[in-house]
């Protein structure tokens, strides 16, 4: 059952609306639950796109299928928190073990919403001490949290999820030592 749960996207012709505005939401909301993407008909959609958009879509799929392949061991267990799927709710899924993992926040609503993300066993984390949060999508950056640049395992962290967005966060143990400046809260490099 688990391997067919949430199996969608390009399973057959016209199985989804080929829309550049929301394909990333669909892909990431699927990967939040299970690594089942049906890519049988994706080529026909990509072939109809202008070249720059097609390259962008291919790069997106390549990045996230490679991401799940690299971290596949964490996808053997899916933890759920937050609301059940439905209007007004924001779903929270975790793939974690110990002091490292990934949290997917899915907001299908037409308005942004702030949710409390549990950094504990509810999402698969079993560590203590400080952790660092990196946002992987929609903006790649280190997160500045309500607790500062580092949050604590075992606490709940308020996170604002934009409208119609799947946000992907990486949670990892905070660095013990920093040898260079780091930016928290905005994208960029030092």
């Amino acid at each position: 059952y688990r391997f067919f749960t949430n199996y969608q996207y390009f399973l057959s012709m016209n199985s989804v609306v080929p829309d550049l505005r929301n394909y990333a939401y669909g892909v990431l909301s699927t990967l939040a639950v299970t690594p089942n993407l049906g890519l049988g008909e994706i080529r026909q959609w990509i072939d109809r796109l202008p070249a720059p958009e097609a390259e962008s879509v291919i790069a997106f799929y390549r990045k996230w299928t490679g991401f799940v392949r690299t971290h596949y061991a964490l996808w053997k267990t899916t933890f759920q928190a937050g609301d059940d799927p439905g209007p007004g709710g924001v779903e929270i899924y975790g793939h974690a073990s110990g002091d490292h993992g990934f949290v997917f926040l899915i907001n299908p609503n037409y308005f942004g919403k702030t949710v409390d993300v549990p950094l504990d066993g509810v999402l698969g984390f079993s560590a203590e001490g400080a952790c660092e949060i990196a946002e992987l999508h929609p903006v790649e950056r280190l997160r500045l949290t309500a607790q500062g640049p580092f949050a604590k395992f075992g606490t709940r962290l308020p996170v604002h999820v934009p409208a119609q967005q799947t946000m992907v966060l990486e949670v990892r143990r905070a660095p013990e030592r920093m040898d260079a400046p780091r930016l928290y809260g905005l994208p960029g490099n030092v």
Side-chain angles (χ1 to χ4, degrees):
Y1 170 79
R2 172 166 165 63
F3 292 104
F4 293 106
T5 300
N6 216 35
Y7 188 88
Q8 59 183 344
Y9 292 92
F10 306 102
L11 178 62
S12 61
M13 271 304 280
N14 301 319
S15 60
V16 297
V17 177
D19 189 347
L20 279 172
R21 292 172 297 163
N22 62 16
Y23 80 94
Y25 170 86
V27 171
L28 293 176
S29 64
T30 299
L31 293 178
V33 181
T34 181
N36 295 341
L37 290 175
L39 301 176
E41 298 294 332
I42 191 172
R43 174 52 63 190
Q44 294 176 355
W45 177 57
I46 290 175
D47 287 345
R48 290 192 303 259
L49 295 174
E53 284 84 359
E55 290 174 16
S56 172
V57 169
I58 290 168
F60 183 86
Y61 273 93
R62 187 172 286 139
K63 173 184 176 178
W64 289 101
T65 54
F67 170 84
V68 171
R69 192 175 313 123
T70 300
H71 303 288
Y72 189 76
L74 292 175
W75 260 255
K76 293 179 181 176
T77 306
T78 301
F79 298 91
Q80 182 182 6
D83 302 317
D84 289 331
V90 174
E91 303 164 57
I92 303 173
Y93 297 98
H95 302 277
S97 178
D99 64 355
H100 182 249
F102 301 93
V103 177
F104 287 71
L105 306 162
I106 303 170
N107 183 3
N109 303 296
Y110 291 101
F111 50 87
K113 189 172 180 181
T114 299
V115 296
D116 287 331
V117 177
L119 298 175
D120 55 20
V122 173
L123 288 179
F125 298 104
S126 60
E128 295 179 357
C131 63
E132 181 177 65
I133 313 288
E135 184 178 327
L136 305 179
H137 186 84
V139 179
E140 290 189 23
R141 61 183 166 181
L142 292 171
R143 297 281 302 198
L144 184 61
T145 72
Q147 299 176 24
F150 304 126
K152 289 193 180 225
F153 284 112
T155 63
R156 291 185 165 268
L157 187 66
V159 175
H160 182 77
V161 187
Q164 295 187 308
Q165 191 64 255
T166 298
M167 181 180 284
V168 182
L169 305 176
E170 180 178 11
V171 179
R172 56 190 178 225
R173 185 166 295 285
E176 293 180 18
R177 177 181 166 174
M178 288 190 246
D179 296 325
R182 296 166 73 94
L183 287 174
Y184 289 88
L186 65 155
N189 294 313
V190 178

